[in-house]
Amino acid sequence: MLLSFPFSVLYLLVFPATYVVVLSLTSTGGTLMLGDIPYYIPATPYITISTPALDRLQGVNSLSPVTVINAAAGNASVGSLASVVADFAQDDVWNAGFLQGILVQSTGTGDRPIYPSGSVSLAGFNHTSVIVSIASNVSSLIPNGPYFLSTNGALYQPLRLYSDFAGAFTQPLIPSSDGSYAALPAALPGIQSPAIGVPSRLYYTMTASKPLAGIRTGIKDIYDIAGVKTSNGNRAWYGFYPPATANSVPVQRLIDAGAILIGKMKTSQFANGELATADWVDYHSPFNPRGDGYQDPSSSSSGPGAGAGTYPWLDLTLGSDTGGSIRGPSQVQGLFGNRPSHGLVDLTGVMPLAPELDTAGFLCRDPTIWKAAGVALYPNLPFYTAYPQSIQTLNFPTNSSTEASRVAIDFLSKLQTFLKVKTTTALNLTNSWAASKPAGAPATIFSLLNTTYPILISKQQTRLVRDPFYAAYAAIHDGRKPFVDPAPLVRWAYGDSNPDSALEEARQNKTIFMNWFNSNILLNDSRACSDSLILYSSGLNTQYRNLYNKPPTVPFGFSTSRISVFAEVPDVVVPVGQASYQSNITGHEEMLPVTVDLLAAKGCDGMLFNLIQDLTAAGILEVPQTGQTIAGGEILLKRGMIGL
């Protein structure tokens, strides 16, 4: 194994007669292989230690892989070390190569832990380890886990490098000493994908104040992160604007809760809906891992969805949902995802599509992490533990004519039993509107809202994003315009074709529907927060990314998925199973996820988080796995490929 590492040096370059130039060469860290696993070693050590016994660990290399273990003071057995190390084997960053040396640190006052001097072999590991006791500072113990130790006692926390073979990330990140972030200066040889670095989970302990400690988190690339450029899915934007000077509010809340930011993730351009083939011009659309591997990942939180469905080393992703940008990717990748009640978190530092509709939420596999993230992002949210006693369905399967329908109906039946609900009501919004619509409102919801969504997103984004961008870009590029993908251009052009008065009319129509819906369909309840749940399912639909599509169009209309958009109520996606389809890519029967959406009254997000956690504990919902199916399995693209 190669264990060399560049440190900062100063070179004096002397030129004849006229010039004396001093160039400072500053290390940005280095990469190495331990066995067949690649690591990045940061330029700055975690800590520098000093003890006379360290020279027992040094060999011919400038860095030695070691494991730090915190143990009680006094006598202890080698067997106790073996037990601790066996637990470490579950961590994906640590491996047995780090047993070259074991640094044992006392967790209390008194003498250092006493272990045999010299080399020992731990039961269950085919390695001989040198054990060294190191001085401890009880107020700031060195965390357990894998490290690289230099000859001068500098102790480095490595990042394991993974390939982003699904194309989910725009930029891998590492933290800087000033609290900002920087691009990870590392790559994996022979792989045409960014290298993403992740720290050991052993370094972190979750607490009440740090509920996301050690949670590896990817951030959709519309959120500002201090020290890093934001692309919004547009190359010209990325090249034109400097790095952000502050974190967006949602990102800062996650950092404050202990989340570990590992990278920014792809978004369709300016968070407008795009399909993988033809619409994505500036950047390539990420790959959906499910089924044949060539289904569209949905948008606009495409990177967060594809990443969460593909990588077991990624715990949580932050997306945004204006018209379905979290829910769509969650549905097609079989993830837990939430569009929250509108207005739960300040979106300062986040690129807007339409402030009246924009929300920040998550795509995630583990509902426990999902809830913890919700607590961190929405701090004033009440978490009800009583649940609604009424269920309404909307555009939900009524018979088991397809495999996907059977899966959805089976979930509904189990939910009814869990909630002790005797009957479920089929909701007909058309009839409900006709019976109770506000005075003077149009005869149908469609007539009221057909143009509301496209007017809001086009008029607002042209005003808040496009116009300032175009003006600033033209000022330094001799009046030129930057390149923009087709989908945003079509929407912006629609906004331009309507008078400014259309924006206020769209706001009024949204408010009319919201007030009606929240007074007649989903009501707040003092016992369970929401008097009812509404369920709908998107079914099983294939969207092959190798098929050429028609040009993008204006997103007119009203559909079930737009209810939460206009009513400002929470809409969460839960994976309930999977169903088969015949792939025209592989020529085989493959599996795709089946999901169900749950809606509750506004502000009842906490109740939904608790309900989903309880449904998982009861075995009604299962934690989806990464891979070809939500039950796991090697992604077709990855089979037989080395270094992924």
Side-chain angles (χ1 to χ4, degrees):
M1 62 183 172
L2 177 63
L3 295 176
S4 59
F5 187 63
F7 287 89
S8 299
V9 294
L10 186 70
Y11 282 90
L12 176 65
L13 304 182
V14 181
F15 293 90
T18 325
Y19 299 101
V20 176
V21 180
V22 177
L23 298 179
S24 177
L25 301 183
T26 303
S27 171
T28 58
T31 59
L32 53 79
M33 300 285 289
L34 181 57
D36 61 353
I37 298 177
Y39 292 92
Y40 166 77
I41 314 299
T44 304
Y46 178 79
I47 197 171
T48 298
I49 60 176
S50 176
T51 179
L54 285 180
D55 58 2
R56 292 163 44 203
L57 292 171
Q58 304 307 327
V60 297
N61 300 305
S62 62
L63 291 176
S64 296
V66 298
T67 296
V68 170
I69 297 178
N70 291 300
N75 292 315
S77 67
V78 173
S80 65
L81 287 185
S83 176
V84 173
V85 170
D87 290 337
F88 287 3
Q90 300 177 40
D91 182 66
D92 62 332
V93 177
W94 186 91
N95 68 68
F98 287 97
L99 290 177
Q100 179 173 320
I102 298 177
L103 308 184
V104 183
Q105 182 178 217
S106 172
T107 58
T109 58
D111 297 330
R112 297 177 185 174
I114 299 174
Y115 291 95
S117 60
S119 300
V120 299
S121 295
L122 300 183
F125 295 93
N126 187 26
H127 276 264
T128 300
S129 305
V130 175
I131 300 180
V132 174
S133 294
I134 59 175
S136 64
N137 180 344
V138 176
S139 64
S140 57
L141 289 170
I142 301 171
N144 285 341
Y147 293 81
F148 283 95
L149 179 67
S150 75
T151 53
N152 67 352
L155 204 57
Y156 297 88
Q157 290 185 335
L159 302 179
R160 178 171 177 173
L161 298 178
Y162 284 104
S163 168
D164 176 28
F165 63 88
F169 287 82
T170 57
Q171 191 164 221
L173 299 179
I174 53 173
S176 300
S177 58
D178 62 358
S180 66
Y181 289 80
L184 170 69
L188 294 175
I191 298 175
Q192 297 178 2
S193 303
I196 310 298
V198 301
S200 170
R201 293 186 172 98
L202 299 173
Y203 301 148
Y204 308 97
T205 301
M206 292 181 183
T207 63
S209 62
K210 299 288 184 182
L212 298 178
I215 297 299
R216 301 164 181 172
T217 305
I219 306 295
K220 184 178 181 178
D221 200 5
I222 65 169
Y223 290 87
D224 281 350
I225 297 177
V228 182
K229 287 190 171 190
T230 299
S231 78
N232 296 327
N234 180 270
R235 293 200 307 161
W237 184 287
Y238 182 85
F240 185 77
Y241 289 105
T245 57
N247 295 319
S248 63
V249 172
V251 167
Q252 187 60 54
R253 287 189 181 176
L254 297 181
I255 293 172
D256 291 343
I260 305 302
L261 307 192
I262 64 171
K264 300 194 83 172
M265 308 191 77
K266 286 182 182 176
T267 173
S268 53
Q269 198 164 93
F270 297 112
N272 285 268
E274 294 183 312
L275 293 173
T277 302
D279 289 351
W280 289 68
V281 180
D282 263 353
Y283 296 102
H284 200 48
S285 173
F287 284 85
N288 181 343
R290 307 306 191 187
D292 53 40
Y294 281 84
Q295 298 300 309
D296 192 273
S298 190
S299 62
S300 62
S301 302
S302 310
T310 301
Y311 303 131
W313 43 264
L314 176 62
D315 302 318
L316 178 71
T317 62
L318 176 67
S320 68
D321 192 306
T322 301
S325 293
I326 287 174
R327 290 165 293 152
S330 296
Q331 290 162 356
V332 301
Q333 262 113 182
L335 304 167
F336 293 100
N338 70 296
R339 176 193 169 87
S341 297
H342 186 264
L344 285 187
V345 59
D346 182 352
L347 296 181
T348 299
V350 187
M351 185 217 65
L353 188 53
E356 299 89 343
L357 310 177
D358 294 340
T359 63
F362 303 102
L363 303 90
C364 187
R365 297 183 304 276
D366 187 331
T368 301
I369 294 175
W370 191 30
K371 177 184 174 181
V375 172
L377 189 59
Y378 321 121
N380 299 317
L381 198 62
F383 280 77
Y384 284 71
T385 54
Y387 302 130
Q389 299 295 291
S390 171
I391 296 175
Q392 303 179 76
T393 59
L394 184 61
N395 297 331
F396 203 84
T398 57
N399 60 68
S400 300
S401 58
T402 67
E403 187 177 2
S405 296
R406 289 194 294 274
V407 171
I409 290 172
D410 181 62
F411 167 73
L412 174 59
S413 175
K414 291 176 180 177
L415 179 64
Q416 286 178 295
T417 301
F418 182 85
L419 296 178
K420 298 181 173 59
V421 173
K422 295 182 179 179
T423 59
T424 296
T425 303
L427 175 63
N428 188 313
L429 277 183
T430 300
N431 291 344
S432 297
W433 176 263
S436 59
K437 69 180 180 70
T444 66
I445 296 175
F446 184 88
S447 298
L448 176 73
L449 298 176
N450 180 42
T451 63
T452 300
Y453 181 77
I455 287 291
L456 287 172
I457 64 169
S458 63
K459 299 297 283 187
Q460 288 289 58
Q461 193 167 63
T462 54
R463 180 178 68 89
L464 298 171
V465 177
R466 184 199 66 181
D467 292 351
F469 179 33
Y470 276 17
Y473 191 91
I476 66 168
H477 288 292
D478 195 27
R480 292 178 174 86
K481 290 181 179 179
F483 175 81
V484 174
D485 280 355
L489 289 178
V490 167
R491 297 177 178 202
W492 294 348
Y494 174 73
D496 292 340
S497 70
N498 283 271
D500 291 343
S501 59
L503 178 59
E504 183 56 34
E505 182 182 351
R507 287 176 177 146
Q508 292 173 0
N509 289 344
K510 172 193 171 297
T511 301
I512 290 170
F513 175 80
M514 177 179 68
N515 292 340
W516 171 80
F517 185 87
N518 294 339
S519 299
N520 293 272
I521 307 299
L522 270 182
L523 282 63
N524 285 109
D525 177 76
S526 59
R527 185 190 70 86
C529 191
S530 181
D531 73 332
S532 178
L533 296 173
I534 294 178
L535 272 62
Y536 70 92
S537 178
S538 58
L540 188 76
N541 299 296
T542 56
Q543 178 68 56
Y544 291 97
R545 63 182 294 150
N546 65 325
L547 296 181
Y548 288 100
N549 304 292
K550 296 178 180 179
T553 58
V554 178
F556 294 115
F558 174 79
S559 63
T560 305
S561 65
R562 292 265 172 92
I563 291 174
S564 57
V565 174
F566 297 130
E568 300 189 354
V569 301
D571 183 341
V572 302
V573 178
V574 297
V576 298
Q578 53 188 352
S580 61
Y581 74 105
Q582 187 69 24
S583 168
N584 65 23
I585 300 290
T586 65
H588 279 243
E589 185 179 87
E590 310 291 358
M591 305 295 287
L592 288 177
V594 177
T595 61
V596 169
D597 283 59
L598 286 75
L599 281 73
K602 186 174 182 179
C604 297
D605 309 60
M607 178 272 291
L608 289 173
F609 280 126
N610 278 338
L611 173 61
I612 290 159
Q613 204 164 36
D614 286 349
L615 291 174
T616 305
I620 295 172
L621 294 174
E622 295 183 3
V623 174
Q625 303 301 304
T626 57
Q628 187 186 9
T629 77
I630 62 171
E634 196 83 76
I635 298 168
L636 284 176
L637 171 71
K638 191 179 174 185
R639 290 184 184 175
M641 298 185 74
I642 298 173
L644 296 185

